[in-house]
Amino acid sequence: MEGRPPDDVMLAERAKRGDERAFEELVRMYQGIAFRTAYLLTGSAADAEDAAQTGFVKAWYALPRFRRGAPFRPWLLQIVANEAHNRRRSAGRREALRLRSIAADPPEDAAPSPEGAALGRERRTELLAAVERLGERDRDVLTCRYLLELSEEETAAVLDVRRGTVKSRTARAIARLRSEVTP
Amino acid sequence: MTELERALVELGHELEIPTSPDLLRPVLSAIESRPKRRLQRRRWTLVVALAALAALAATLAIPDARSALLRFLHIGGERIELVDALPGVTPDPAELDFELALGRATTLEQARRVAGFDLRELEVAPDKVYLGARGTVWFLYGAPDRVRLLVSQTPLHSVDEELLLKKLAGPETSVEHVDVRGTRGVFLSGEPHLLFLLDPRGEIVEDSARLAHDVLVWEEEGIALRLEGDFTKGEAVAVAESLR
């Protein structure tokens, strides 16, 4: 999870006053999480890039309406997620997510045996398939909370719901997922 | 975190996610190719200035004497007592005056549909609703010839407290900071009459205090809100905080 640097609020305040340098810093800081959020919501690199880019541009023009002192990241992710949702709706469906290929895995000192790695991969493949079988609402909340490791506040912003709804939706989604992976 | 939740977090690390492209250049390019937000005029800044009462009457065709305020106003559980300033002259067709001063008369439902933002409303529905310039929605309580309270909401405005203090504080107008639900606002008393707005392009737009009475201005999520009536600071804040 990307931490929220302490100067997030300060940079946003400067950007709100029209400081383009401050906004550049915010783009640098959050372009990664903005793209990943959009990608996991759309499943398409092209759509994610477009959504993230448009989201930043819209954020710049909406900054005068940005609440002073509020954290910038959840607000930005909400704008990006809106763009991503629009593209997902236009596409009619979201592309399925995939695991990285084994060859792309970085070597680790404590790498498991080939059998262990295969077993781990098999479990992850099953888990991903189970997540993909969930309804959109369950999948989105699990994507935000666990796959993207967003905070409850950020998840609430991305899904445009209250924090309490994030909690209850997450609990229900986890319960459904558990029933999927442990028949 | 349960084992399943930990497995989901690990799954997130194992997903095939393309490397994030460099967004900085295209974003900056898109911003630069559009009209700039000007630093000093970046926000719609609400500036309230003094002007002669005669100028107000001439400009607005709503003489102060006509802005009769009813004595009691019950809003959101608050009982606000207002000074009654009865009109000294027979008003012109007041409805027409208010259409000129505020905008096109409409219904609350229609205003909600076309406002483009979530309107803040009191528990009590306004007696009249107008759609004015710059996307402003006006709620009028009372009747056009016997106004109790005006509430205006204008998108893309903000309130510059320092500027208000600098421009307005003086012997004739009192400028006080207030807290409205944690947001700082400004209470103007002493008959401030003119307002100047800055539009998104930074152009100054002259506006007016419609009732020539006390004004409370504050900002919530990019909406500039304003109350006008004959009230104390505490009463104005109570009404403001009743807006939901």
Side-chain angles (χ1 to χ4, degrees), chain A residues 98-154:
Chain A
R98 290 187 300 273
L99 288 177
R100 284 203 312 253
S101 64
I102 294 174
D105 286 341
E108 295 174 12
D109 291 340
S113 64
E115 293 79 11
L119 192 58
R121 186 171 180 81
E122 190 179 331
R123 283 190 188 135
R124 284 194 291 275
T125 303
E126 285 174 9
L127 182 58
L128 179 57
V131 170
E132 291 287 341
R133 284 196 298 274
L134 292 173
E136 183 177 303
R137 185 175 281 196
D138 289 340
R139 199 176 57 216
D140 280 353
V141 76
L142 295 184
T143 296
C144 290
R145 290 292 286 125
Y146 301 106
L147 304 185
L148 288 165
E149 297 177 81
L150 302 185
S151 67
E152 282 181 353
E153 179 190 12
E154 289 168 337

Side-chain angles (χ1 to χ4, degrees), chain B residues 33-72:
Chain B
S33 66
R34 296 191 191 185
K36 274 188 179 289
R37 282 169 45 202
R38 298 181 196 175
L39 182 58
Q40 73 279 20
R41 294 174 175 179
R42 165 191 46 78
R43 297 175 298 176
W44 284 39
T45 307
L46 186 61
V47 185
V48 184
L50 291 174
L53 185 58
L56 171 75
T59 308
L60 295 177
I62 303 176
D64 180 55
R66 231 182 283 157
S67 59
L69 299 176
L70 299 187
R71 283 191 179 282
F72 302 109

Side-chain angles (χ1 to χ4, degrees), chain A residues 23 27 50-63 75-76 79-80 83, chain B residues 23-34 37:
Chain A
F23 190 69
V27 176
D50 193 33
Q53 185 180 319
T54 306
F56 275 113
V57 174
K58 285 193 173 178
W60 167 254
Y61 285 99
L63 265 169
W75 183 73
L76 169 74
I79 297 171
V80 170
E83 293 297 318
Chain B
L23 298 175
L24 186 60
R25 202 170 300 169
V27 166
L28 294 181
S29 172
I31 288 171
E32 283 163 7
S33 66
R34 296 191 191 185
R37 282 169 45 202

Side-chain angles (χ1 to χ4, degrees), chain A residues 74-92:
Chain A
W75 183 73
L76 169 74
L77 292 181
Q78 181 170 36
I79 297 171
V80 170
N82 280 341
E83 293 297 318
H85 283 132
N86 290 341
R87 282 157 184 77
R88 184 165 77 183
R89 270 194 292 275
S90 299

